[in-house]
Amino acid sequence: AAVEATVADPGAASLLGSAAERLALPEVASNAAVLMFGGIETTEAMITNALLHLLRHPGQLALVRDDDGLLDGAIEESLRLEPGAAVVDRYATRDTVLGPATIRRGDLVTVSLAGANRDPAVFPDPDRFDVRRENARLQLAFAHGPHYCLAAHLARLETRIALQRLLERLPALRLDPAHPVTPQGLVFRKPPTLHVLWDSPA
């Protein structure tokens, strides 16, 4: 099928042209799909999971309300405990031995980001949600190395703005006890819905 596009921005045109020179059309389409999906699904999960963590831990939420400088720590801590993408697939670039497993070059390896983020050697008391955790930014929710998420800073900014606005405009926001929720999904994890209550201003 033919693909036609009109690009008004010369910079975008050169980017598309550059990609077209190096990648086949199916590769361009595949990368575009990954970027679009990643920019929607995982960011939505990031915002929802962070709000859920804060509302589940009123003491931590109170700390953030008293000092909005802790909001970034809350976001990192939520990413650590419940990344929007819990696992990623990679192919081994060389033979290696990892614990009892022998991995050959070219083998598919499924990496648990959620498991790595709960490594007690890196994160003491790893199951605790702590907005003051000093090393929370070591979390691997955005992966690492050449596959590091290229929109990580944008996702953090979107989450920060969403949470700031919610906490400012709905100060009595709380979970609805009649509709308990938990994140679901093997790879992409978030609650299917998040039921909340708040009091209307008098």
Side-chain angles (χ1 to χ4, degrees):
V3 177
E4 294 184 8
T6 301
V7 181
D9 180 358
S14 64
L15 179 62
L16 290 172
S18 178
E21 291 170 9
R22 296 188 174 114
L23 301 173
L25 182 58
E27 293 172 315
V28 173
S30 175
N31 277 281
V34 167
L35 289 172
M36 289 183 66
F37 185 77
I40 297 169
E41 179 71 18
T42 55
T43 304
E44 178 186 298
M46 185 174 166
I47 294 168
T48 307
N49 289 339
L51 181 60
L52 177 60
H53 277 118
L54 284 168
L55 296 181
R56 272 186 176 168
H57 299 88
Q60 298 294 302
L61 177 57
L63 292 174
V64 172
R65 287 192 185 280
D66 289 342
D67 178 5
D68 75 344
L70 292 174
L71 186 56
D72 291 328
I75 292 168
E76 297 302 316
E77 195 53 351
S78 176
L79 284 166
R80 185 184 69 79
L81 285 169
E82 198 66 76
V87 298
V88 293
D89 289 338
R90 297 291 183 259
Y91 289 93
T93 58
R94 60 183 171 83
D95 294 349
T96 190
V97 175
L98 186 62
T102 299
I103 300 168
R104 301 292 180 201
R105 183 175 183 231
D107 282 354
L108 174 65
V109 179
T110 298
V111 180
S112 173
L113 300 178
N117 283 342
R118 290 177 188 253
D119 182 349
V122 179
F123 304 106
D125 196 5
D127 295 326
R128 180 169 53 94
F129 178 68
D130 181 3
V131 300
R132 290 176 166 162
R133 189 181 295 273
E134 292 183 2
N135 68 345
R137 200 158 172 117
L138 294 180
Q139 52 78 19
L140 297 172
F142 294 114
H144 187 70
H147 291 284
Y148 186 77
C149 175
L150 60 86
H153 297 304
L154 176 59
R156 284 184 171 108
L157 180 62
E158 289 177 303
T159 302
R160 186 176 221 291
I161 291 170
L163 294 177
Q164 273 182 324
R165 295 299 177 267
L166 279 168
L167 297 179
E168 287 170 2
R169 296 179 184 183
L170 303 171
L173 189 67
R174 61 196 183 278
L175 293 174
D176 182 354
H179 297 92
V181 295
T182 188
Q184 297 178 14
L186 178 63
V187 177
F188 298 104
R189 293 185 53 78
K190 65 181 179 184
T193 56
L194 186 59
H195 294 270
V196 295
L197 302 171
W198 69 89
D199 301 318
S200 299

